[in-house]
Amino acid sequence: PEDFGPGLFLGPVIFGAIDTDHDGTATRADFETAFGAWFDRWDAGRAGSLSRRDLARGIDAALNPAPGGPPGG
């Protein structure tokens, strides 16, 4: 289908992380704020750059739909 792809699954998670004022829109300012905060958080050594591993770990932490792991049972 035309709308089937990674965005179908990642879009709502990313949108929820970016739309922090919950107004139903993601503005350029929302993106800059979210990505700036993520970069600062993920660049723990203040190197001014991220490795592929840093980026992957940061994405896992910021966009995990089930923080703390999946439900038990």
Side-chain angles (χ1 to χ4, degrees):
E2 182 178 323
D3 292 336
F4 186 79
L8 180 67
F9 305 101
L10 294 175
V13 177
I14 293 171
F15 189 87
I18 292 173
D19 182 26
T20 58
D21 59 4
H22 308 288
D23 68 353
T25 65
T27 65
R28 175 180 289 275
D30 292 335
F31 270 83
E32 290 173 353
T33 299
F35 279 90
W38 288 339
F39 186 91
D40 291 344
R41 193 173 326 133
W42 303 345
D43 182 21
R46 300 296 177 240
S49 63
L50 299 173
S51 69
R52 181 180 286 181
R53 187 175 186 170
D54 294 335
L55 181 62
R57 286 180 174 173
I59 289 171
D60 286 346
L63 303 178
N64 186 345

